[in-house]
């Protein structure tokens, strides 16, 4: 029997869609992704990008406080056992927030499968979904909430210090104590890099913007912002060659290589932020859904989550290269569930 709705993805968009779909008695089936080495390396393990961050201070409803008793009362003991619940009174962490959302979706009857969707057939009704483990499922509606992954350079040293000074999200991590009053490096020359560098000047002693060319890609207004900020120093024609550090302190410096000839330089740093773009996780769709020029799923109706294929809805970062926040992803996840429910009703399915 075909499912009413299959949700693909386990970030805030996927869980919020599941909570709403489950409460609408659609009995959603959600694929949270597989736990594989490939997913670990590319940052696409279950629970999404938030599971790769530390404190989340800007998700409404989670102020700083002693959350440990709440987490212990809210989440299944079995999952808590390996969850590393934080101590102290700082805000909820990304992994905790995602476990809470997952639990909330499970509480309302969402069926959760720890597997990747590797292929879909949207040319047939009901839609067909195939998984990494080789299983096939059918669904009348699909909600795609597979998110995006930050691009990294692929340096082994960069991988070794992820979450210990290497980050791809200044807004998520910039305010952490380890970055305060220390030199920081941002890699990239686009609007994101300038925005991240500007944001980080609030905390850093100096922000070095490392760009591989002698001209920024960022818009004029953003370029001026960077050039006029006394706390931003642009490292023109430079590439990040290596992140330096040790087990105890995490990142302690960088080695920069010139892209225009010249010797490598080693400079002190407590953090390195990559801002070289994101890649939406859409490969499994095999272009059966219309994408934007940047490769994100195109929402085809204003203020709705409908896509170019009737019955397929998209939510969260896979369709949003602009806001990219946990709370906006949750919002569009909710919208996708409501859109799917209403569409299924018009089809006489539910
Ligand atoms: P982007 O515009 O694609 O810029 C990526 C930057 O990273 C480029 O400067 C590129 O260098 C550099 N880069 C890419 N791969 C690299 C590599 N392997 N090694 C070194 N450098 C590398 O991406 P984005 O800045 O994330 O912006 C994405 C979109 O969002 C843009 O349309 C942007 O305008 C928009 N955005 C807008 C705002 C705003 O208006 N406030 C803020 C953020 C983002 P090259 O220049 O040499 O190619």
């Amino acid at each position: 029997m075909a499912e009413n709705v299959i949700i693909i993805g386990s970030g805030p968009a996927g869980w919020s869609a599941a909570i709403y779909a489950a409460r609408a008695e659609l009995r959603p089936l959600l694929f949270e992704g597989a736990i594989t080495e490939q997913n670990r390396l590319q940052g696409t393990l279950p629970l999404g990008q938030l599971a790769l961050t530390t404190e989340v201070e800007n998700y409404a409803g989670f102020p700083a406080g002693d959350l440990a008793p709440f987490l212990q009362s809210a989440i299944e003991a079995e999952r808590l056992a390996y969850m590393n619940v934080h101590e102290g009174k700082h805000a909820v962490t990304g992994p905790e927030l995602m476990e809470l959302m997952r639990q909330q979706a499970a509480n309302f009857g969402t069926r959760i499968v720890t597997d990747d969707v590797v292929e879909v057939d949207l040319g047939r009704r009901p839609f067909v979904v195939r998984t990494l483990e080789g299983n096939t499922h059918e669904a009348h509606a699909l909600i795609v909430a597979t998110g995006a992954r930050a691009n990294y350079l692929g340096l082994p040293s960069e991988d070794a210090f992820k979450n210990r000074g290497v980050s791809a999200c200044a807004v998520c991590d910039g305010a952490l104590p380890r970055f305060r009053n220390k030199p920081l490096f941002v890699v990239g020359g686009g609007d994101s890099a300038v925005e991240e560098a500007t944001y980080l000047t609030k905390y850093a002693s100096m922000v070095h913007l490392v760009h591989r060319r002698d001209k920024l890609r960022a818009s004029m207004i953003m370029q001026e912002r960077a050039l006029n900020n006394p706390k931003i120093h642009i490292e023109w024609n430079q590439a990040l060659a290596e992140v330096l550090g040790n087990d105890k302190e995490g990142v302690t410096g960088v080695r920069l290589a010139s892209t225009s000839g010249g010797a490598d330089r080693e400079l002190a740093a407590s953090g390195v932020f990559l801002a070289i773009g994101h890649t939406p996780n859409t490969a499994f769709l095999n272009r059966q859904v219309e994408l934007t020029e940047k490769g994100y799923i195109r929402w085809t109706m204003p203020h709705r989550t409908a896509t170019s294929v009737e019955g397929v809805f998209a939510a969260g970062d896979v369709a949003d290269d602009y806001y990219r926040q946990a709370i906006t992803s949750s919002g569009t996840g909710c919208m996708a569930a409501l859109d799917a429910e209403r569409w299924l009703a018009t089809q006489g399915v539910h």
Side-chain angles (χ1 to χ4, degrees):
M1 255 254 301
E3 304 287 345
N4 295 314
V5 58
I6 284 181
I7 299 167
I8 311 171
S10 57
W15 296 124
S16 300
I19 291 164
Y20 272 79
R23 286 171 58 85
E25 299 193 344
L26 289 172
R27 285 186 44 73
L29 183 67
L30 182 145
F31 289 91
E32 66 175 345
I35 301 169
T36 61
E37 182 61 6
Q38 195 196 342
N39 280 345
R40 190 190 72 77
L41 285 175
Q42 67 177 17
T44 51
L45 283 172
L47 306 184
Q49 293 187 86
L50 265 192
L52 306 174
T53 67
T54 47
E55 286 82 20
V56 178
E57 295 178 325
N58 55 7
Y59 195 92
F62 285 91
D66 187 1
L67 286 169
F70 171 60
L71 293 163
Q72 272 149 14
S73 68
I75 299 175
E76 275 173 32
E78 197 184 296
R79 287 186 74 82
L80 266 180
Y82 63 83
M83 229 189 88
N84 198 8
V85 170
H86 79 244
E87 285 168 16
K89 299 205 169 187
H90 49 79
V92 71
T93 69
E96 288 166 352
L97 184 57
M98 297 321 298
E99 287 286 354
L100 286 166
M101 288 192 193
R102 185 184 193 279
Q103 186 67 53
Q104 198 171 353
N107 290 349
F108 290 115
T110 303
R111 290 161 301 143
I112 301 166
V113 184
T114 309
D115 197 357
D116 273 342
V117 169
V118 291
E119 198 185 340
V120 291
D121 185 346
L122 307 183
R124 283 184 39 193
R125 305 278 166 158
F127 302 126
V128 181
V129 165
R130 292 193 188 84
T131 76
L132 186 65
E133 287 181 7
N135 299 317
T136 299
H137 302 263
E138 290 184 337
H140 296 292
L142 284 186
I143 295 176
V144 180
T146 43
R149 56 187 189 275
N151 295 340
Y152 285 88
L153 293 165
L155 303 170
S157 59
E158 178 190 57
D159 205 31
F161 292 109
K162 271 185 196 164
N163 277 348
R164 290 186 306 146
V166 172
S167 166
C169 181
V171 181
C172 317
D173 299 331
L176 296 177
R178 68 162 296 124
F179 300 126
R180 301 256 167 153
N181 303 315
K182 302 272 174 50
L184 300 178
F185 283 72
V186 174
V187 184
D191 281 333
S192 294
V194 172
E195 193 172 64
E196 302 234 326
T198 307
Y199 180 81
L200 289 169
T201 56
K202 284 200 283 190
Y203 308 108
S205 57
M206 179 61 94
V207 179
H208 299 259
L209 185 62
V210 180
H211 187 38
R212 60 185 175 185
R213 294 188 292 136
D214 61 359
K215 196 170 178 306
L216 294 174
R217 177 178 297 279
S219 53
M220 282 318 289
I221 186 166
M222 298 291 274
Q223 292 196 25
E224 277 167 28
R225 212 168 280 174
L227 294 167
N228 294 333
N229 189 326
K231 282 179 89 180
I232 296 179
H233 173 72
I234 305 185
E235 302 278 359
W236 299 107
N237 299 311
Q238 298 287 311
L240 177 68
E242 189 181 357
V243 181
L244 308 172
N246 57 55
D247 280 352
K248 190 159 156 270
E249 300 164 278
V251 172
T252 58
V254 294
R255 183 162 60 82
L256 298 185
S258 170
T259 56
S260 59
D264 285 11
R265 289 180 301 146
E266 287 192 5
L267 299 161
S270 74
V272 177
F273 290 81
L274 283 303
I276 57 170
H278 283 76
T279 301
N281 300 311
T282 56
F284 69 99
L285 293 170
N286 201 16
R287 299 201 79 94
Q288 293 171 82
V289 173
E290 195 182 319
L291 305 178
T292 65
E293 314 76 57
K294 294 179 190 165
Y296 289 75
I297 297 178
R298 189 184 295 288
W299 278 319
T300 50
M301 288 165 71
H303 313 298
R304 300 284 184 271
T305 60
T307 71
S308 61
V309 179
E310 236 191 84
V312 177
F313 303 87
D317 284 9
V318 75
D320 170 24
D321 68 352
Y322 187 76
Y323 295 108
R324 303 193 312 223
Q325 300 299 302
I327 200 148
T328 53
S329 291
S330 274
T332 53
C334 158
M335 289 159 67
L338 296 175
D339 288 342
E341 183 191 0
R342 285 167 196 172
W343 182 79
L344 286 168
T346 67
Q347 304 300 301
V349 171
H350 189 71

